[in-house]
C-alpha cells in the first residue's frame, strides 16, 4: 500500500505584474508517496521552482496562489495561518535551494545555523535544549559524512561539495517528512554530484523521506527518482513512474525532451533539439500550450485545453489529445 | 529581458546604430523615471527655483541691497511681503535673489567634485594595485575629515569670495563619488565586453572612455545630483557663519542677517523661516531626483 | 593572511597617514606669505608684539623652514601645541583638553548613539516593507531631514520649543564650577536639560543621513540567498531580521560609525554655534573668526588623529566580524 505524503491538487500560481498577469503555474496536480522521490523536469521558466515555492508558501510579493490545495500528510498547507506555516517549515518539510553555495550566512558558523533551527523548533532556550541541539548537529554532520569537529567552521572554510553536504545536514536537522531539493547538484562537478545523489538516497531509505527533486537534467532524474513529472509552460504534461515515462512516454513534449538528451551508453545518434521557444506566460496560446511547437498539433489542440487524464495505468497521467501517437 | 537586437525587415538580425540604441535606452529610462512620483516632485521643485533664480531681476520687487530709511525692521505688509531688515532692505527680494547663488554654487561645486571623484575612482578602479591603494587611502582620509571645520579653516586661510567658495566646497566633496565610481569600475572591468576589447588589443584609454565611462555614467549622474544637495547645504552653513560670498544674497546670508538681528527671539518668523524652507525645498528637490535616478539606474536595485 | 598580519599592515598604513597629516598640518599653516603672526596682526588690526616674540622663541619662525619643521615636531612630541593668539597666554592644549572636549563628547556621543540605533531600526523596518507606504513615507521624511540645514533646524527648535512652548532652555552649556549649583546632581539635571535642544537637532539630522544607508544595506542583504534560507527554515521574522540580516548589515555601518567618531571631537560647529554650546565646534568657529592659527592647528591635528585611529579600529572590528575579510 502506497501512502501518499504530498498531494497537490489544481494548484495555480500567478504573478501579478504592473501590466500583466503571468500564469507561472496553472492547474497543476501531482502526488509524492512516502519514502519516494518525484523528479520534476522541464525547461527553465516552466514553473518548477514556482511550484516548489508555492508548497513552501515562500513566493515573492508579486506571486499569489490563486487556486488549489496542497495536502501534506492530509493537512492542507494553504489553510494554515502564517504562524502555523512558519512552525511547519523545517519540521514537516524542508528545502534545499538552488545556488546552495550562498545558502549559509557568511558571518555565522555552519553549526550555529543548523543549531538555531533545532532550538527554535523546540520553542525553548534552556541549556539542555541547546546542548541537545549541538549534539544533533554533530550527529547530522556524521550522517552526511562530514567531520563533526568542523561544526564551528565558517561557510567559506568549506568546499562546494562539503557545503552541499552541510546543507543536507541542515535540511535533515528537524527530521522532516518531505524534502524539496531545487537543483541541488547543478553547481557541482559530476563526481561530487554522484556522491551527493548517493547520500540523498541513503538518507531517504533510512528516514522514509519523501523528496521532490527539481532539475532540468533528465539524466539525474533517471538515476535517482522513482517517479517523474514533466512540466511545460506552467502546466503538468505527464506524470508517471520513471521507467514508464522514460520508455513509454506518451506526451509528445516528453518524448522530444528525452530525444534531445544525448545518451552515453546507447547508440550514437543525432540529438534532436525542440524547435521554437516556450510561450510568453503572460499571454499563453489558447488550447494546449505546447501546440505551436508540437508536430502532432491539430485543430482540437489549438482550441481546447487537453485534460490531465490517466493513460496507460492509474499512476500514469498525460495531458494530450494525441497521447501515445507516433511522431514522424 | 533585454532585447539588444532588432529585426531590420530583411529577416536578418542586426545591431541598431548607436544613436538609436541610446534613444531606445533613454526612452525606457524616461518612462521609468516619470513613473516615480518622487522624481516628478523633485523635478518640479528644482524647476521652480531655477525659474525663480533666472527671472530674479523681474520677480524681485526691489533691489535687495537698497536700503529704505523710513522702513527699517518692518513687519510683513503689502509692499514688503516678508518685511524688511534693520537697514530697511526688502527681505522678499533677498529671498528671490538667493536662489541664484544657491543654484550657482551648488551646481558648480558639484561639478568640480564630480570631475575629481570620477577621475580618482576610474584610475583607482581600473589600474588597481599600488595606485589603487594610495588613492583609496587618500580618499578614506578625506572621507573621515569633518567637512565644515575644514572648509572654515580653508576659507579663513585663503579668504571668501565666490570662486574660492565654489573651489573649497568642490574640492572637499568628491570622496563619495570616487568610492562609487571605483567599485562600479571594478565590476565592469571584469565583464566580458571589456575582456573582449582587451583581447583585440584596445588600449587602456579606449577601454576607459568607450566601455567603462558610459557604463558608470548613470551612477555618477545620480551621485552628482546628491553632490548638489551637499554643496547647497555647505554653502548655506558657511554663509550662516558669516563666511559666505560678500555682497551677494544667498539664503544662508539671509539667515546670517536674521541671526544677527535676533529674529528668533524677537519672533520675526518671516526673516528666518522662508529662507530655511527655500534651502530645504531646493535641496529636497535635488535629493528626490537623485533618489529616483538611483532607483531607476542602480543595477542592484533594478533586480527586484 | 592571518588576523595578526592584517592588523600590523593596517597599523603601518595608519602610522604613515598620521605622519603625512602632521606634515600637511605644518605646511598648511605656513603657506601664507610671510610670518603667521603678521597675518594675525593684519586681520585683527590689534598689534600684539608679544606674538612675534613667542613664535620666534617657540617655533623659530626666523629660522629656515626645515629647522622650523624639526622644532615643530619636537614640540609636538612633548605634547606642546603652542599658545593661542586669541586667548593669549592660554596654551592650546589647555583650551582643547578641558571642559570643551567633555561638552562635545557628551553632546555628540549621545546624538550619534541615538541616531545610529534609530537609523538601523527604521532602515530595517523600511527595507522589510520595501515599496510599501511605510517605506515611501519614511524615505520622504528622511530625505527632507537630509535636505534641511542643521543650523536652521536648531533655529526652528529654539523658536518653537523655547520661544513658543517654553520646553527647553534657550542655549548655553552649564559648567560644574558655576556657584549656583548646590551639588553635582543639580548641575547634572540642568546639563541634561540644556542638552535636549542640540541633541534633538543633531539626531534628526544624523538619522536623515544614515537611514538610507542602513535601508540600502538591508535591501541588499534581503536579496541574499542565506536570508531566503533563513526564512525557509521558518525562523521567527525577528530572528531573520535582527540576527541574520543585521549581522551583515552592521559591517558597512561600522564604517559609518567610524566616520562619526571624528564628529565626536570635531563637534558640530553649526549646532554648537546656534545653541551656544561651549564645545570644540564653537572653539573652532572662534579660532577661525579670530584667525587663531595655533588653536586651529591643534584642533585640526586632534580631529585628523582621531579620524585615522577610528578608521584603523573600524577595520579591525570589520575583520573580526567578517571572517572572509582577513586578506
Amino acid at each position: 500500500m502506497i501512502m501518499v505524503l504530498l498531494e497537490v491538487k489544481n494548484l495555480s500560481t500567478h504573478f501579478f505584474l504592473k501590466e500583466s498577469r503571468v500564469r507561472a503555474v496553472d492547474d497543476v496536480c501531482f502526488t509524492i508517496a512516502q519514502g519516494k522521490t518525484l523528479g520534476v523536469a522541464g525547461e527553465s521558466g516552466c514553473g518548477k521552482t514556482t511550484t516548489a515555492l508555492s508548497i513552501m508558501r515562500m513566493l515573492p510579493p508579486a506571486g499569489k496562489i490563486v487556486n488549489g490545495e496542497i495536502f501534506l500528510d492530509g493537512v492542507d498547507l494553504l489553510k494554515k495561518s502564517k504562524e502555523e506555516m512558519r512552525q511547519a517549515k523545517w519540521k514537516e518539510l524542508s528545502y534545499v535551494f538552488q545556488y546552495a553555495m550562498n545558502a549559509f550566512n557568511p558571518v555565522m558558523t555552519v553549526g550555529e545555523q543548523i543549531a538555531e533551527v533545532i532550538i527554535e523548533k523546540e520553542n525553548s532556550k534552556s541549556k539542555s535544549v541547546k546542548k541537545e541541539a549541538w549534539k544533533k548537529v554533530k550527529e547530522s554532520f556524521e550522517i552526511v559524512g562530514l567531520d563533526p569537529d568542523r561544526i564551528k567552521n565558517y561557510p567559506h572554510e568549506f568546499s562546494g561539495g562539503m557545503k552541499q553536504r552541510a546543507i543536507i545536514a541542515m535540511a535533515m536537522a528537524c527530521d522532516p517528512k518531505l524534502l524539496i531539493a531545487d537543483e541541488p547538484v547543478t553547481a557541482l562537478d559530476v563526481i561530487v554530484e554522484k556522491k551527493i545523489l548517493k547520500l540523498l538516497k541513503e538518507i531517504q531509505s533510512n528516514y522514509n523521506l519523501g523528496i521532490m527533486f527539481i532539475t532540468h537534467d533528465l539524466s539525474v532524474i533517471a538515476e535517482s527518482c522513482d517517479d517523474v513529472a514533466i512540466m511545460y509552460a506552467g502546466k503538468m504534461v505527464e506524470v508517471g513512474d520513471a521507467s514508464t515515462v522514460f520508455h513509454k512516454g506518451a506526451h509528445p513534449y516528453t518524448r522530444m525532451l528525452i530525444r534531445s538528451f544525448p545518451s552515453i551508453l546507447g547508440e550514437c545518434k543525432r540529438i534532436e533539439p525542440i524547435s521554437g521557444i516556450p510561450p510568453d506566460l503572460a499571454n499563453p496560446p489558447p488550447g494546449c500550450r505546447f501546440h505551436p511547437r508540437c508536430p502532432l498539433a491539430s485543430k482540437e489542440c489549438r482550441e481546447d485545453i487537453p485534460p490531465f487524464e490517466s493513460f496507460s495505468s492509474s499512476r500514469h497521467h498525460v495531458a494530450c489529445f494525441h497521447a501515445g501517437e507516433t511522431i514522424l | 529581458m533585454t532585447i539588444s537586437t532588432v529585426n531590420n525587415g530583411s529577416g536578418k538580425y542586426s545591431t541598431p546604430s548607436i544613436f538609436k540604441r541610446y534613444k531606445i535606452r533613454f526612452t525606457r529610462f524616461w518612462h521609468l523615471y516619470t513613473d516615480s512620483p518622487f522624481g516628478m516632485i523633485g523635478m518640479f521643485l528644482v524647476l521652480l527655483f531655477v525659474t525663480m533664480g533666472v527671472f530674479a531681476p523681474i520677480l524681485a520687487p526691489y533691489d535687495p541691497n537698497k536700503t529704505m530709511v523710513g522702513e527699517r525692521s518692518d513687519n510683513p505688509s503689502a509692499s514688503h511681503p516678508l518685511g524688511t531688515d534693520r537697514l530697511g532692505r526688502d527681505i522678499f527680494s533677498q529671498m528671490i535673489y538667493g536662489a541664484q547663488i544657491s543654484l550657482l554654487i551648488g551646481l558648480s561645486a558639484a561639478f568640480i567634485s564630480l570631475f575629481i571623484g570620477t577621475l580618482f575612482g576610474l584610475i583607482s578602479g581600473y589600474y588597481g594595485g599600488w595606485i589603487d591603494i594610495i588613492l583609496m587611502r587618500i580618499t578614506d582620509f578625506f572621507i573621515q575629515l569633518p567637512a565644515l571645520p575644514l572648509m572654515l579653516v580653508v576659507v579663513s586661510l585663503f579668504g571668501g569670495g565666490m570662486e574660492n567658495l565654489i573651489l573649497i566646497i568642490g574640492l572637499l566633496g568628491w570622496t563619495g563619488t570616487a568610492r562609487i565610481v571605483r567599485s562600479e569600475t571594478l565590476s565592469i572591468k571584469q565583464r566580458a565586453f571589456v575582456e573582449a576589447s582587451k583581447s583585440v588589443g584596445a588600449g587602456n584609454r579606449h577601454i576607459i572612455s568607450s566601455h567603462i565611462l558610459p557604463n558608470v555614467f548613470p551612477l555618477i549622474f545620480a551621485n552628482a545630483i546628491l553632490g548638489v544637495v551637499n554643496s547647497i547645504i555647505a554653502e548655506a552653513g558657511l554663509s550662516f557663519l558669516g563666511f559666505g560670498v560678500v555682497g551677494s544674497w544667498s539664503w544662508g546670508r539671509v539667515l546670517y542677517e536674521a541671526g544677527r538681528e535676533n529674529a528668533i527671539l524677537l519672533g520675526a518668523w518671516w526673516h528666518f523661516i522662508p529662507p530655511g524652507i527655500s534651502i530645504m525645498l531646493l535641496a529636497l528637490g535635488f535629493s528626490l531626483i537623485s533618489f529616483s535616478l538611483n532607483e531607476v539606474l542602480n543595477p542592484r536595485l533594478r533586480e527586484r | 593572511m592571518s588576523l595578526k598580519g592584517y592588523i600590523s599592515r593596517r597599523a603601518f598604513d595608519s602610522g604613515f597617514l598620521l605622519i603625512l597629516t602632521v606634515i600637511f598640518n605644518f605646511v598648511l599653516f605656513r603657506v601664507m606669505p610671510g610670518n603667521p603672526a603678521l597675518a594675525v596682526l593684519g586681520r585683527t588690526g590689534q598689534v600684539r608684539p608679544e606674538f612675534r616674540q613667542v613664535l620666534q622663541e617657540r617655533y623659530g619662525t626666523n629660522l629656515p623652514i626645515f629647522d622650523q619643521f624639526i622644532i615643530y615636531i619636537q614640540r609636538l612630541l612633548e605634547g606642546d601645541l603652542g599658545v593661542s593668539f586669541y586667548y593669549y597666554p592660554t596654551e592650546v592644549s589647555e583650551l582643547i583638553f578641558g571642559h570643551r572636549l567633555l561638552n562635545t563628547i557628551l553632546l555628540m556621543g549621545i546624538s550619534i548613539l541615538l541616531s545610529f540605533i534609530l537609523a538601523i531600526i527604521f532602515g530595517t523596518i523600511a527595507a522589510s516593507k520595501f515599496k510599501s507606504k511605510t517605506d515611501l513615507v519614511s524615505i520622504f521624511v528622511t530625505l527632507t531631514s537630509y535636505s534641511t540645514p542643521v543650523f536652521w533646524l536648531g533655529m526652528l527648535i529654539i523658536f518653537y520649543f523655547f520661544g513658543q512652548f517654553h520646553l527647553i532652555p534657550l542655549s548655553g552649556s552649564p559648567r560644574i564650577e558655576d556657584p549656583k549649583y548646590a551639588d553635582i546632581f543639580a548641575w547634572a539635571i540642568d546639563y541634561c536639560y540644556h542638552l535636549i535642544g542640540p541633541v534633538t537637532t543633531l539626531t534628526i539630522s544624523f538619522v536623515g543621513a544614515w537611514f538610507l544607508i542602513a535601508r540600502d544595506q538591508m535591501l541588499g542583504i534581503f536579496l541574499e540567498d542565506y536570508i531566503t534560507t533563513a526564512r525557509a527554515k521558518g525562523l521567527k521574522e525577528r530572528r531573520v531580521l535582527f540576527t541574520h540580516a543585521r549581522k551583515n548589515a552592521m559591517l558597512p555601518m561600522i564604517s559609518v560609525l567610524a566616520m562619526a567618531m571624528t564628529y565626536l571631537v570635531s563637534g558640530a560647529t553649526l549646532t554648537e554655534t546656534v545653541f551656544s554650546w561651549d564645545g570644540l565646534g564653537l572653539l573652532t568657529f572662534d579660532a577661525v573668526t579670530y584667525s587663531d592659527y595655533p588653536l586651529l592647528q591643534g584642533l585640526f591635528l586632534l580631529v585628523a588623529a582621531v579620524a585615522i585611529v577610528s578608521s584603523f579600529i573600524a577595520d579591525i572590528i570589520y575583520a573580526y566580524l567578517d571572517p572572509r575579510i582577513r586578506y
Side-chain angles (χ1 to χ4, degrees):
Chain A
M1 175 73 192
I2 296 165
M3 295 284 284
V4 171
L5 174 65
L6 179 82
E7 183 170 16
V8 174
K9 272 187 180 168
N10 307 93
L11 177 72
S12 294
T13 301
H14 296 178
F15 284 88
F16 294 86
L17 303 181
K18 216 174 228 166
E19 279 138 15
S20 58
R21 176 178 180 173
V22 177
R23 292 161 169 82
V25 172
D26 213 12
D27 209 18
V28 159
C29 305
F30 63 92
T31 58
I32 296 177
Q34 261 175 19
K36 298 283 181 202
T37 307
L38 172 77
V40 180
E43 293 166 76
S44 328
C46 70
K48 298 172 300 208
T49 299
T50 305
T51 307
L53 289 176
S54 305
I55 297 170
M56 285 299 276
R57 300 232 334 242
M58 282 193 50
L59 291 163
K64 298 253 154 41
I65 298 171
V66 291
N67 187 28
E69 291 159 309
I70 300 171
F71 293 101
L72 180 67
D73 242 6
V75 183
D76 190 349
L77 293 180
L78 298 182
K79 290 220 171 70
K80 283 188 184 233
S81 72
K82 254 191 174 161
E83 179 59 23
E84 285 167 341
M85 191 61 206
R86 187 180 71 70
Q87 286 180 4
K89 279 178 191 174
W90 235 250
K91 236 175 160 173
E92 311 256 323
L93 72 170
S94 56
Y95 203 117
V96 170
F97 280 92
Q98 218 168 340
Y99 311 119
M101 296 299 112
N102 305 320
F104 282 113
N105 191 332
V107 301
M108 292 167 77
T109 65
V110 175
E112 256 179 281
Q113 297 180 56
I114 301 179
E116 69 168 351
V117 62
I118 303 175
I119 294 167
E120 253 207 47
K121 297 297 148 175
E122 289 296 329
N123 245 333
S124 135
K125 284 202 168 138
S126 68
K127 268 230 160 82
S128 60
V129 168
K130 279 188 183 164
K131 230 179 129 191
E132 197 57 33
W134 280 99
K135 222 179 103 197
K136 265 198 104 172
V137 174
K138 278 202 165 173
E139 283 169 22
S140 68
F141 261 50
E142 272 167 21
I143 292 169
V144 298
L146 285 170
D147 179 359
D149 292 337
R150 298 195 63 168
I151 52 174
K152 289 266 160 71
N153 278 25
Y154 284 97
H156 72 277
E157 293 166 312
F158 277 25
S159 70
M162 285 164 72
K163 262 189 218 169
Q164 197 62 37
R165 282 171 191 269
I167 283 162
I168 294 169
M170 183 156 80
M172 295 305 298
C174 299
D175 303 320
K177 299 169 193 158
L178 174 71
L179 174 74
I180 302 174
D182 190 355
E183 307 266 10
V185 292
T186 308
L188 303 173
D189 64 67
V190 194
I191 296 173
V192 182
E193 176 185 301
K194 269 257 188 297
K195 286 182 183 162
I196 297 288
L197 290 178
K198 197 169 147 239
L199 174 69
L200 276 175
K201 268 265 164 261
E202 273 170 31
I203 290 174
Q204 177 171 45
S205 55
N206 290 344
Y207 294 87
N208 198 24
L209 181 73
I211 300 180
M212 176 173 172
F213 197 109
I214 297 172
T215 182
H216 61 267
D217 187 345
L218 287 178
S219 59
V220 170
I221 289 193
E223 197 168 345
S224 56
C225 296
D226 306 296
D227 297 314
V228 184
I230 308 283
M231 282 187 80
Y232 178 79
K235 287 269 190 194
M236 202 52 96
V237 294
E238 183 156 8
V239 179
D241 64 75
S243 70
T244 314
V245 173
F246 278 113
H247 300 298
K248 288 180 223 144
H251 197 285
Y253 177 67
T254 309
R255 281 184 278 162
M256 289 167 82
L257 194 65
I258 291 166
R259 265 201 240 166
S260 70
F261 265 82
S263 151
I264 294 179
L265 297 176
E267 56 184 303
C268 204
K269 57 184 175 193
R270 216 183 151 74
I271 59 169
E272 292 169 40
I274 307 174
S275 62
I277 51 166
D280 174 11
L281 293 182
N283 223 336
C288 173
R289 287 187 182 179
F290 187 58
H291 84 252
R293 297 169 79 182
C294 184
L296 301 177
S298 60
K299 185 163 173 284
E300 199 180 12
C301 303
R302 283 180 212 106
E303 285 163 3
D304 300 322
I305 297 172
F308 192 53
E309 292 170 336
S310 59
F311 180 63
S312 60
S313 73
S314 65
R315 296 195 54 247
H316 184 197
H317 287 72
V318 184
C320 182
F321 293 119
H322 303 280
E325 284 176 26
T326 326
I327 303 172
L328 296 172
Chain B
M1 198 189 294
T2 327
I3 295 163
S4 54
T5 52
V6 292
N7 195 328
N8 62 9
S10 63
K12 279 182 191 159
Y13 283 91
S14 71
T15 313
S17 72
I18 287 182
F19 174 72
K20 206 162 182 187
R21 225 156 58 203
Y22 276 105
K23 202 180 153 196
I24 292 170
R25 240 202 237 177
F26 181 78
T27 320
R28 191 187 304 141
F29 155 78
W30 187 246
H31 278 295
L32 281 170
Y33 183 83
T34 47
D35 259 4
S36 139
F38 280 5
M40 295 315 278
I41 298 174
M43 204 132 77
F44 170 76
L45 286 172
V46 169
L47 284 177
L48 188 78
F49 284 108
V50 168
T51 319
M52 192 161 136
V54 170
F55 297 104
I58 302 167
L59 290 172
Y62 302 93
D63 173 354
N65 284 314
K66 192 179 146 209
T67 54
M68 285 160 267
V69 183
E71 299 166 76
R72 285 184 179 161
S73 303
D74 270 0
N75 289 0
S77 63
S79 55
H80 300 289
L82 295 175
T84 58
D85 67 5
R86 82 202 137 98
L87 295 178
R89 294 174 292 200
D90 182 51
I91 296 173
F92 182 69
S93 305
Q94 297 172 357
M95 286 274 311
I96 303 268
Y97 274 93
Q100 285 185 342
I101 302 291
S102 287
L103 279 168
L104 189 66
I105 294 188
L107 291 173
S108 10
F111 183 77
I112 295 177
S113 304
L114 173 75
F115 184 76
I116 302 175
T118 309
L119 202 67
F120 256 63
L122 274 181
I123 293 176
S124 191
Y126 187 77
Y127 290 101
W130 273 106
I131 300 176
D132 182 32
I133 291 175
I134 292 170
L135 289 185
M136 276 304 117
R137 283 278 163 247
I138 296 175
T139 312
D140 283 351
F141 179 65
F142 271 98
I143 284 183
Q144 296 258 309
L145 286 182
L148 188 84
L150 201 60
M151 286 178 194
L152 283 176
V153 172
V154 183
V155 172
S156 83
L157 286 178
F158 297 97
M162 179 79 87
E163 297 84 3
N164 272 2
L165 220 57
I166 292 174
L167 268 176
I168 290 160
I169 296 173
L171 286 176
L172 293 174
W174 52 271
T175 45
T177 315
R179 272 203 171 172
I180 292 176
V181 173
R182 173 178 173 269
S183 68
E184 256 325 87
T185 307
L186 277 177
S187 85
I188 291 168
K189 193 172 85 173
Q190 283 159 359
R191 301 244 192 99
F193 59 85
V194 174
E195 293 288 320
S197 188
K198 263 188 200 163
S199 69
V200 296
N204 286 335
R205 196 177 291 182
H206 170 80
I207 293 174
I208 290 180
S209 64
S210 63
H211 291 298
I212 297 192
L213 203 53
N215 279 292
V216 293
F217 188 74
L219 270 184
I220 297 177
F221 193 60
N223 200 254
I225 287 175
L226 205 62
V228 179
V229 178
N230 296 335
S231 306
I232 288 172
I233 289 175
E235 185 276 333
L238 286 172
S239 298
F240 173 68
L241 291 175
F243 292 95
V245 182
V246 186
S248 42
W249 288 96
S250 78
W251 294 322
R253 176 156 173 227
V254 180
L255 286 169
Y256 168 69
E257 300 278 342
R260 290 214 324 191
E261 291 178 25
N262 258 331
I264 305 175
L265 297 185
L266 296 173
W269 56 266
W270 53 87
H271 204 170
F272 69 91
I273 293 208
I277 288 186
S278 305
I279 301 171
M280 188 184 88
L281 288 182
L282 179 58
L284 179 65
F286 281 114
S287 306
L288 289 171
I289 293 180
S290 166
F291 181 84
S292 320
L293 278 179
N294 213 18
E295 293 278 286
V296 176
L297 298 170
N298 193 336
R300 223 185 68 194
L301 294 171
R302 223 169 18 199
E303 278 170 22
R304 263 176 284 261
Chain C
M1 197 190 278
S2 67
L3 190 57
K4 239 183 212 159
Y6 177 70
I7 292 176
S8 56
R9 208 190 73 192
R10 285 292 291 117
F12 178 79
D13 282 0
S14 303
F16 182 68
L17 211 51
L18 208 56
I19 293 169
L20 267 185
T21 314
V22 170
I23 297 173
F24 180 64
N25 200 11
F26 173 79
V27 174
L28 184 66
F29 290 94
R30 274 168 183 71
V31 288
M32 290 150 300
N35 187 316
L38 289 178
V40 178
L41 302 182
R43 280 284 169 90
T44 58
Q46 296 166 313
V47 181
R48 280 190 156 180
E50 62 264 36
F51 284 165
R52 190 177 312 193
Q53 194 70 31
V54 168
L55 283 167
Q56 285 190 356
E57 272 170 28
R58 283 226 182 167
Y59 296 107
T61 38
N62 50 343
L63 298 174
I65 192 93
F66 185 73
D67 293 334
Q68 285 186 35
F69 182 64
I70 300 292
I71 293 172
Y72 169 74
I73 297 288
Q74 276 172 351
R75 291 282 175 188
L76 203 60
L77 290 176
E78 288 164 16
D80 175 7
L81 295 170
V83 176
S84 159
F85 288 167
Y86 180 65
Y87 296 95
Y88 187 81
T90 316
E91 295 278 325
V92 166
S93 45
E94 221 175 296
L95 284 169
I96 296 177
F97 299 103
H99 69 279
R100 291 187 182 84
L101 181 63
L102 185 74
N103 279 345
T104 288
I105 287 184
L106 279 171
L107 169 64
M108 301 308 281
I110 296 172
S111 314
I112 289 171
L113 202 68
L114 254 170
S115 333
F116 195 70
I117 295 168
L118 290 178
I120 288 187
I121 294 177
F122 291 154
T124 308
I125 295 172
S128 71
K129 304 193 168 172
F130 182 62
K131 289 214 163 146
S132 68
K133 247 190 201 129
T134 322
D135 188 27
L136 292 178
V137 168
S138 43
I139 288 169
F140 194 82
V141 170
T142 42
L143 281 181
T144 310
S145 108
Y146 185 81
S147 309
T148 309
V150 64
F151 60 89
W152 183 65
L153 190 64
M155 289 165 94
L156 279 189
I157 284 178
I158 292 180
F159 181 67
Y160 285 106
F161 292 98
F162 168 75
Q164 311 282 317
F165 308 126
H166 312 289
L167 286 172
I168 59 166
L170 171 59
S171 60
S173 46
R175 294 196 62 177
I176 196 160
E177 293 90 346
D178 197 325
K180 78 176 179 194
Y181 299 116
D183 51 31
I184 193 164
F185 292 108
W187 166 79
I189 289 169
D190 198 39
Y191 193 84
C192 292
Y193 186 44
H194 279 80
L195 266 174
I196 299 173
V199 164
T200 313
T201 308
L202 284 171
T203 305
I204 294 176
S205 152
F206 283 147
V207 171
W210 295 341
F211 164 83
L212 279 181
I213 302 179
R215 174 180 172 273
D216 210 46
Q217 289 307 329
M218 279 297 176
L219 281 181
I221 284 164
F222 285 154
L223 290 178
E224 300 277 353
D225 296 323
Y226 54 80
I227 293 299
T228 320
T229 310
R231 290 218 168 104
K233 274 152 80 175
L235 299 180
K236 291 201 182 82
E237 192 62 15
R238 224 183 37 233
R239 191 175 167 88
V240 176
L241 288 184
F242 290 104
T243 307
H244 280 266
R246 203 209 54 215
K247 260 195 179 168
N248 286 280
M250 275 306 273
L251 296 173
M253 287 308 276
I254 286 169
S255 330
V256 172
L257 205 56
M259 228 181 288
M261 287 301 119
T262 322
Y263 302 146
L264 210 54
V265 295
S266 77
T269 310
L270 288 162
T271 312
E272 289 183 12
T273 310
V274 171
F275 286 94
S276 307
W277 187 260
D278 195 14
L280 293 182
L282 196 58
L283 191 65
T284 312
F285 177 61
D286 285 344
V288 174
T289 314
Y290 300 112
S291 303
D292 192 342
Y293 293 119
L295 183 52
L296 271 182
Q297 216 170 352
L299 287 165
F300 182 79
L301 204 60
L302 174 72
V303 169
V306 170
I308 292 166
V309 171
S310 57
S311 110
F312 172 64
I313 294 172
D315 279 358
I316 291 174
I317 298 177
Y318 215 110
Y320 179 76
L321 281 183
D322 189 344
R324 289 169 302 178
I325 240 183
R326 294 163 200 164
Y327 44 79

